[in-house]
Amino acid sequence: MTTSPDYAEKIPNNVDLRDDRRLQRALEAWQPNFLSWWESMGPTLPTQDVYLRTAVNVGREGWAHFGHVAMRDYRWGIFLAERNPDRRIGFGEHKGEPPWQQVPGEYRSELRRLIVIQGDTEPASVEQQRNLGATAPSLYDLRNLFQVNVEEGRHLWAMVYLLQAHFGRDGREEAEELLHRNSGSQDAPRILGAFNEETPDWLSFFMFTYFTDRDGKYQLGTLKESAFDPLSRTCEFMLKEEAHHMFVGTTGVDRVVERTAQLMVEHDSDEVAARGGIPLDVIQKYLNFHYSVSLDLFGGDTSTNVANYYTAGLKGRWLEDRRRDDHKLTSESIMVDALDDGQVGQTEVAALVGLNTDLRREYIADCQSGVKRWNRILSGAGLEPRLKLPHVAFNRKVGAFAGVEATPDGRLLTAGEWERRQGEWLPTDVDKTHVRSLMQPVHERGKIAAWIAPPRNGINGKPFDYDYVHLA
Ligand SMILES: [Fe+2]
Ligand SMILES: [Fe+2]
């Protein structure tokens, strides 16, 4: 049963926090540390208030409330999707058994690790995006940035709740570490590579929310299947918020492509840089970069750890219940990427050890749909649809192709050729400087920067020229 959230408490929640004094005190002790992290590592642009969505419930009849709030007073709460009393474990050796409400001792360290890795990405992205407010192309975009930021903050809360509620002292220590590590830090960096890259401009932000947040969506999708029911329910609710982050990325890139296409048609030329736009080939380079670093987030093409997680019931597949197999995979196989005699190829492995590949492929198919819609925008403007996803071997640092260099078409290159030519496919200093030169803030109500088209609609039925943000 889910109880209705208690707003009177310091921490809005639907987990009956008031009945667990020990946990309540642990979270209340962590809260000021979270707030000082938010003040020192969160958004740098001073604001009075922002029109934000706040999660207030999990039910179907509306789970969010919209209104202007000072970000520091945002009510980061703890919400788990409703418990399904009929739920059964859907895969692995415990398939068919009731899910676990407590952490089984034998899986304790693996579960803690999975939660910490997921938890680490949430505040990392806030840190990566902290300076973007100063160059927002409109108040609408500024508001969306802050919405993503506060929700990533809430996702950190979600993971910290699990750590503190179910992992005792180790969990409390991990909760502190999540605030201690910082994106790009020399001494204590974030755990995963892509989360230590900077997000220096808004094209990067849109690509990040499209490609890297989407990795998050797929990871959450596998954890939503977990036999550990509180983790499953937490992730299910996070996925609901994540949909808006995907929307920000998808429509953000849409609007950049749309504006570029307009300029190309207007001037009958690809050279839109001098006209204040972002050239299509620069958009392609940013896409190449963000897509390839996001592919790395799925880990090695084969992994015995992940096979063990699956068999134990800790982490399932994307849409596990739609798969038509035995959900144990003990006798199945899968083709995974591999170097074959030094050439890009594939090799057959047991399905269980190829689960990272399975997830990466689901993700790639999803990314393909973004490219399709951006090409449709080009076709709609009468232009050649020419954006594409680079080959899986391109610019990889993890997996079978980490040791080789390849073109976006998947042709192998010598190290020297790669050195000479990578600027054709990845953003160069010149490209980045140009993009950054366009990042002049437009903080005036109803106005928008010249390098991006306005959105079709505003937020929550409000018009584009609504006062989404009041600057300080
Ligand atoms: Fe998140
Ligand atoms: Fe997100």
Side-chain angles (χ1 to χ4, degrees):
M1 285 309 291
T2 304
T3 54
S4 58
D6 188 349
Y7 306 112
E9 291 187 55
K10 277 192 184 168
I11 302 161
N13 69 89
N14 71 340
V15 294
D16 292 329
L17 199 52
R18 106 188 73 97
D19 298 337
D20 188 341
R21 296 294 300 162
R22 193 196 55 77
L23 175 60
Q24 197 181 343
R25 273 198 301 272
L27 285 166
E28 283 176 2
W30 184 80
Q31 187 180 39
N33 299 343
F34 169 82
L35 284 175
S36 63
W37 166 81
W38 178 265
E39 296 278 292
S40 61
M41 296 307 293
T44 54
L45 184 75
T47 50
Q48 284 177 49
D49 57 32
V50 183
Y51 185 70
L52 291 174
R53 166 175 89 175
T54 304
V56 292
N57 211 330
V58 296
R60 241 168 258 115
E61 22 357 274
W63 56 275
H65 167 264
F66 284 83
H68 282 94
V69 289
M71 272 197 287
R72 199 183 194 279
D73 300 330
Y74 187 78
R75 305 206 67 208
W76 286 280
I78 297 164
F79 297 98
L80 274 61
E82 285 174 59
R83 184 163 160 192
N84 171 6
D86 301 326
R87 182 168 181 242
R88 290 289 175 270
I89 298 171
F91 60 94
E93 64 188 4
H94 301 290
K95 184 175 183 298
E97 296 170 19
W100 318 319
Q101 302 307 323
Q102 297 299 329
V103 177
E106 64 209 286
Y107 303 137
R108 192 183 155 88
S109 64
E110 287 87 351
L111 274 170
R112 191 182 63 205
R113 184 80 191 142
L114 287 171
I115 292 167
V116 166
I117 290 174
Q118 181 61 42
D120 195 67
T121 66
E122 312 288 354
S125 64
V126 176
E127 294 165 354
Q128 291 171 290
Q129 296 160 12
R130 63 192 305 248
N131 293 318
L132 288 174
T135 56
S138 72
L139 289 183
Y140 163 90
D141 290 289
L142 186 57
R143 177 262 166 216
N144 285 347
L145 167 72
F146 292 149
Q147 182 70 61
V148 171
N149 292 162
V150 293
E151 283 175 351
E152 300 305 4
R154 205 201 67 74
H155 293 172
L156 171 61
W157 272 93
M159 293 296 122
V160 162
Y161 161 73
L162 292 175
L163 289 169
Q164 298 204 341
H166 295 280
F167 295 88
R169 194 184 151 160
D170 301 354
R172 288 196 291 280
E173 282 171 12
E174 295 284 13
E176 291 302 330
E177 285 303 306
L178 286 168
L179 297 175
H180 175 67
R181 280 186 296 273
N182 290 141
S183 178
S185 156
Q186 289 295 331
D187 320 324
R190 291 295 175 185
I191 297 170
L192 300 171
F195 290 88
N196 288 301
E197 302 279 350
E198 46 177 343
T199 310
D201 59 69
W202 281 75
L203 181 56
S204 300
F205 172 64
F206 293 135
M207 291 292 177
F208 182 96
T209 40
Y210 189 85
F211 290 106
T212 308
D213 255 337
R214 189 171 307 272
D215 155 74
K217 168 182 160 183
Y218 280 80
Q219 302 300 338
L220 290 174
T222 65
L223 296 174
K224 180 177 98 81
E225 304 293 339
S226 182
F228 179 40
D229 207 39
L231 175 60
S232 162
R233 291 163 57 210
T234 298
C235 291
E236 186 178 338
F237 188 66
M238 287 163 74
L239 278 166
K240 215 163 179 168
E241 290 166 314
E242 214 55 64
H244 177 68
H245 309 180
M246 305 291 104
F247 165 86
V248 169
T250 308
T251 57
V253 180
D254 280 359
R255 292 159 53 212
V256 178
V257 172
E258 184 184 335
R259 181 64 186 139
T260 295
Q262 275 169 7
L263 288 168
M264 285 169 74
V265 169
E266 208 175 298
H267 300 283
D268 192 20
S269 164
D270 286 5
E271 308 291 324
V272 300
R275 276 113 188 178
I278 302 178
L280 214 46
D281 63 337
V282 174
I283 296 174
Q284 178 69 59
K285 289 182 192 181
Y286 273 67
L287 185 161
N288 290 347
F289 173 76
H290 286 272
Y291 174 70
S292 55
V293 300
S294 299
L295 288 183
D296 280 346
L297 290 170
F298 290 84
D301 303 273
T302 60
S303 164
T304 44
N305 273 346
V306 174
N308 294 337
Y309 293 162
Y310 185 83
T311 302
L314 310 184
K315 195 178 165 185
R317 284 174 295 175
W318 178 253
L319 301 182
E320 182 69 47
D321 54 0
R322 296 206 196 154
R323 307 294 184 115
R324 296 221 184 120
D325 50 38
D326 67 356
H327 303 274
K328 296 189 184 214
L329 307 178
T330 41
S331 51
E332 323 239 344
S333 64
I334 183 177
M335 298 299 289
V336 300
D337 292 329
L339 279 182
D340 182 9
D341 231 358
Q343 293 304 303
V344 169
Q346 296 206 325
T347 187
E348 189 171 356
V349 299
L352 280 173
V353 297
L355 284 172
N356 280 343
T357 295
D358 178 80
L359 190 63
R360 182 160 29 230
R361 285 194 186 136
E362 295 286 335
Y363 169 82
I364 291 171
D366 195 354
C367 290
Q368 203 73 58
S369 68
V371 172
K372 219 166 149 189
R373 65 184 274 151
W374 302 326
N375 277 328
R376 222 179 294 128
I377 293 172
L378 292 176
S379 315
L383 298 167
E384 191 69 26
R386 59 186 213 207
L387 293 169
K388 43 181 186 277
L389 293 179
H391 191 274
V392 282
F394 174 77
N395 193 38
R396 296 294 302 283
K397 305 281 181 276
V398 173
F401 305 132
V404 296
E405 298 298 354
T407 66
D409 298 328
R411 206 168 46 72
L412 291 184
L413 297 167
T414 64
E417 280 176 307
W418 170 255
E419 260 331 297
R420 252 192 334 276
R421 297 191 58 191
Q422 58 169 300
E424 294 172 33
W425 310 305
L426 290 172
T428 61
D429 288 340
V430 173
D431 299 327
K432 291 183 202 168
T433 305
H434 171 64
V435 170
R436 270 183 236 190
S437 75
L438 298 176
M439 299 294 131
Q440 301 303 323
V442 178
H443 288 161
E444 219 175 316
R445 204 172 149 172
K447 296 270 168 63
I448 187 147
W451 56 269
I452 184 169
R456 300 246 176 286
N457 303 104
I459 292 296
N460 192 35
K462 302 287 187 228
F464 170 66
D465 63 2
Y466 186 63
D467 55 339
Y468 290 108
V469 181
H470 297 122
L471 296 173

